Amino acid sequence: MELRNREKTKIVAAAKAGMDEKTARKYVRLGKLPSQVKKPHTWRNRPDPFADIWDEAKGLLNNNAGLEAKSLFNYFQRRDPGKFSDGQLRTFQRRVKRWRALEGPAREVFFPQIHFPGVLCESDFTCMNSLGITIRGFPFGHLIYHFVLTYSNWETGTICFSESFESLSAGFQNALWELGGVPRRHRTDRLSAAVHKDCNPEEFTQRYQDLLKHYGIKGEKIRGGEAHENGDVEQRHHRFKNALDQALMLRGSRDFKSREAYETFLRKLYSQLNAGRKDRFQEELRVLRRIPARRLDDFRWLEARVNPSSTIRVAKNTYSLHSRLIGEVVRVKLYAEYFEVHYAQKKIDRIPRLRGEGQHYIQYRHIIDSLVRKPGAFENYRYKADLFPTVRFRMVYDYLCAKRPARANKEYLAILYLAATVSESEVDKSLHMLFENEEVITAATVKEHMGSTNDPAIHRDVHIDPVNPGHYDVLLGTSLRREMAHVQQ
């Protein structure tokens, strides 16, 4: 078209454009480019292999929006053996994809929201076990209570071990006090610690309502199965875990000396992530409401009666108390990670809280007096596995069952009684020496060896001769001579 305006004739313009004269005249007459004249390819080059079943397939897809193309293809393969080959699966999937885009049911639309400073915060629990964190070589299974401001994406978190109300309360309050202010609304998913079941007329549990009221913040919950409604914190879960994973790679180790060291590492990571959000975060700080003068308690009080087995039930788990308290009612001060037992206005015990439900934590010192008097109860005791303080105690019980089965229970309980009344560590050392010296193990021999300074782990001298490299040279030379002789043969 440019050459036509510069050249004298169309023949010359067409020749310079590398085009036949007749073709050039056609495009000039039409006033269109070659790409505009080309007709789209709408015809088939081969017969449709799914013509016989496509109407049925559309009916099934209409009735079941979640039906996958592969499942439907496998269904037709099973129904009509030999009619469709595995190589046709991709063709069928493309056909279903086009149908869904052009004729299928409408899909759910996600509407981006405008966020305003200081208005909305979201929180949720996320499991961190996939990152493989260890403390002194032992797996550290835990959750993070994750808190996010939706406008600036400022975030923080608290380590916890269950989605209990105590964990929610501690994490939520830690976040607000670190933030130094209170947003207007707080959104969570349908946490059992905060949200009632649908059959309950009240939306939130009383304890959660009290927590929100204390800070003057309005609570919100998402609909069941609609995690995208809590999308900011859900997305931050993914990005935070990825950032932590990268930081651990740069660190060169996923093992920490203590939980405190791990928490310090997390605090530094939060600071790094929040460093790029300072401008929007400052906007939030200017409109946040003032935080109350004090925190709300992170615990709750319970009452429990000590049953005849010298145990109580706390948060759907079983714990032992001293047999002196059987029949008495004790008060339990329940925190997220432990609880205190109070009786007669006095704290008498502090016990680590178990994770999950249906677990048990029995301390042998609480019940050993009764077991010594009734050794026959030990054989089938429901919580027998809890009465082996160390691996060595379990080893000595198995040893007694093999050597003296008739007196195994009585003898083991006598050894356990020594651990409870004298020293567990001394008994453990005595068992170690008896096993090392291959002596007969009874309660009497354990008591006899207690306090002995002949600890094999300390006083045994181990001598290793220095390595002579010449031995390796001799071995290598012999091997080479054998190989050469084999080659020559």
Side-chain angles (χ1 to χ4, degrees):
M1 294 300 180
E2 292 178 359
L3 290 169
R4 186 178 69 127
N5 295 327
R6 293 204 304 263
E7 302 299 331
K8 294 182 179 180
T9 64
K10 294 178 182 178
I11 297 175
V12 175
K16 287 187 176 182
M19 188 179 294
D20 182 74
E21 179 187 353
K22 293 181 180 178
T23 303
R25 290 182 182 278
K26 181 182 71 172
Y27 288 129
V28 170
R29 184 178 69 254
L30 294 174
K32 295 182 179 180
L33 299 175
S35 59
Q36 295 173 315
V37 176
K38 185 178 180 180
K39 294 182 180 180
H41 190 285
T42 58
W43 61 91
R44 298 190 63 88
N45 292 329
R46 64 189 70 179
D48 182 4
F50 307 114
D52 296 340
I53 55 100
W54 184 241
D55 288 338
E56 183 183 357
K58 288 194 296 184
L60 292 170
L61 290 168
N62 269 319
N63 294 333
N64 303 277
L67 187 61
E68 294 183 357
K70 185 175 181 179
S71 300
L72 190 57
F73 183 78
N74 291 338
Y75 163 74
F76 287 120
Q77 276 190 317
R78 291 192 301 270
R79 195 189 67 178
D80 304 319
K83 187 172 183 179
F84 303 108
S85 66
D86 291 345
Q88 293 176 301
L89 171 61
R90 188 71 189 95
T91 304
F92 186 76
Q93 287 175 324
R94 286 195 295 266
R95 183 79 169 268
V96 171
K97 182 181 179 181
R98 285 196 300 269
W99 176 85
R100 279 185 167 140
L102 299 175
E103 305 176 46
R107 296 188 179 186
E108 183 179 6
V109 179
F110 295 94
F111 300 95
Q113 300 294 296
I114 299 175
H115 295 285
F116 300 94
V119 173
L120 180 63
C121 60
E122 295 179 353
S123 68
D124 192 14
F125 294 94
T126 182
C127 182
M128 305 295 288
N129 294 349
S130 61
L131 294 175
I133 306 297
T134 59
I135 304 293
R136 292 187 177 275
F138 293 95
F140 185 58
H142 65 290
L143 308 173
I144 289 286
Y145 173 82
H146 205 179
F147 179 96
V148 175
L149 295 176
T150 61
Y151 179 74
S152 64
N153 277 337
W154 181 90
E155 63 186 308
T156 187
T158 299
I159 294 175
C160 55
F161 302 98
S162 67
E163 297 187 14
S164 64
F165 175 77
E166 290 74 29
S167 298
L168 169 63
S169 175
F172 178 67
Q173 294 190 85
N174 289 345
L176 292 185
W177 283 83
E178 182 181 346
L179 181 59
V182 181
R184 297 180 187 177
R185 292 156 37 208
H186 176 233
R187 181 180 296 164
T188 68
D189 61 9
R190 304 180 69 85
L191 296 170
S192 59
V195 180
H196 275 303
K197 295 181 179 179
D198 293 335
C199 60
N200 197 295
E202 293 186 358
E203 185 176 16
F204 299 118
T205 63
Q206 185 60 51
R207 287 183 294 162
Y208 184 57
Q209 290 183 51
D210 293 341
L211 178 64
L212 296 176
K213 184 178 179 180
H214 179 75
Y215 287 94
I217 188 170
K218 181 182 178 183
E220 297 179 0
K221 62 180 176 63
I222 66 173
R223 294 175 295 168
E226 304 292 342
H228 62 272
E229 294 182 0
N230 215 20
D232 282 77
V233 71
E234 292 288 348
Q235 183 60 223
R236 288 313 310 166
H237 285 341
H238 168 71
R239 296 186 182 278
F240 169 69
K241 287 181 181 179
N242 184 63
L244 179 57
D245 189 38
Q246 295 297 311
L248 291 168
M249 290 182 189
L250 290 174
R251 182 175 180 266
S253 173
R254 295 173 186 266
D255 187 62
F256 294 85
K257 292 182 179 179
S258 64
R259 174 178 167 176
E260 290 72 23
Y262 175 51
E263 288 178 331
T264 301
F265 186 80
L266 289 180
R267 295 264 74 82
K268 290 181 180 178
L269 180 61
Y270 285 128
S271 298
Q272 293 168 6
L273 294 173
N274 291 328
R277 305 161 182 158
K278 287 184 178 179
D279 293 339
R280 291 174 72 90
F281 179 59
Q282 290 300 322
E283 294 182 47
E284 301 228 61
L285 286 180
R286 286 194 288 268
V287 296
L288 290 176
R289 290 178 296 173
R290 183 176 298 177
I291 202 163
R294 64 176 184 85
R295 288 175 60 121
L296 207 61
D297 293 332
D298 294 336
F299 60 84
R300 57 176 167 137
W301 285 102
L302 303 173
E303 287 191 350
R305 184 178 295 277
V306 185
N307 61 35
S309 62
S310 197
T311 60
I312 57 173
R313 293 275 293 175
V314 176
K316 301 182 180 180
N317 288 314
T318 301
Y319 303 85
S320 68
L321 293 180
H322 201 283
S323 58
R324 290 189 298 260
L325 294 167
I326 290 177
E328 301 294 336
V329 175
V330 297
R331 298 192 71 203
V332 175
K333 195 175 184 180
L334 185 64
Y335 291 87
E337 298 183 27
Y338 64 92
F339 64 88
E340 298 174 354
V341 181
H342 292 251
Y343 180 74
Q345 291 79 48
K346 181 181 179 182
K347 185 177 79 171
I348 59 175
D349 207 348
R350 172 172 164 158
I351 301 175
R353 184 172 174 178
L354 297 173
R355 307 173 194 176
E357 299 178 2
Q359 308 295 317
H360 49 83
Y361 179 69
I362 308 299
Q363 301 181 61
Y364 68 92
R365 289 183 173 87
H366 292 158
I367 57 175
I368 188 61
D369 292 330
S370 294
L371 273 175
V372 169
R373 292 195 298 269
K374 296 186 285 187
F378 182 72
E379 180 66 29
N380 297 309
Y381 181 46
R382 179 181 296 177
Y383 309 120
K384 183 178 180 179
D386 288 1
L387 302 187
F388 301 107
T390 67
V391 174
R392 203 164 283 120
F393 279 80
R394 178 74 223 198
M395 290 169 58
V396 75
Y397 179 69
D398 293 339
Y399 165 86
L400 291 170
C401 288
K403 299 293 185 181
R404 307 177 65 186
R407 289 184 53 84
N409 292 335
K410 189 172 182 179
E411 205 67 53
Y412 175 74
L413 292 174
I415 294 172
L416 196 61
Y417 184 77
L418 283 173
T421 56
V422 183
S423 170
E424 181 183 306
S425 61
E426 288 295 327
V427 171
D428 193 67
K429 288 180 181 179
S430 298
L431 295 176
H432 184 194
M433 286 190 289
L434 291 170
F435 274 119
E436 288 291 323
N437 298 331
E438 298 183 356
E439 297 182 34
V440 176
I441 301 177
T442 64
T445 56
V446 170
K447 188 174 182 179
E448 180 182 343
H449 282 77
M450 286 178 65
S452 173
T453 57
N454 297 322
D455 189 342
I458 299 174
H459 297 284
R460 173 175 293 175
D461 293 329
V462 179
H463 177 73
I464 300 176
D465 293 330
V467 178
N468 184 355
H471 295 165
Y472 179 72
D473 294 335
V474 173
L475 179 64
L476 183 62
T478 303
S479 177
L480 287 174
R481 286 195 297 273
R482 289 176 180 174
E483 186 174 350
M484 291 299 296
H486 178 73
V487 170
Q488 292 172 359
Q489 290 176 0

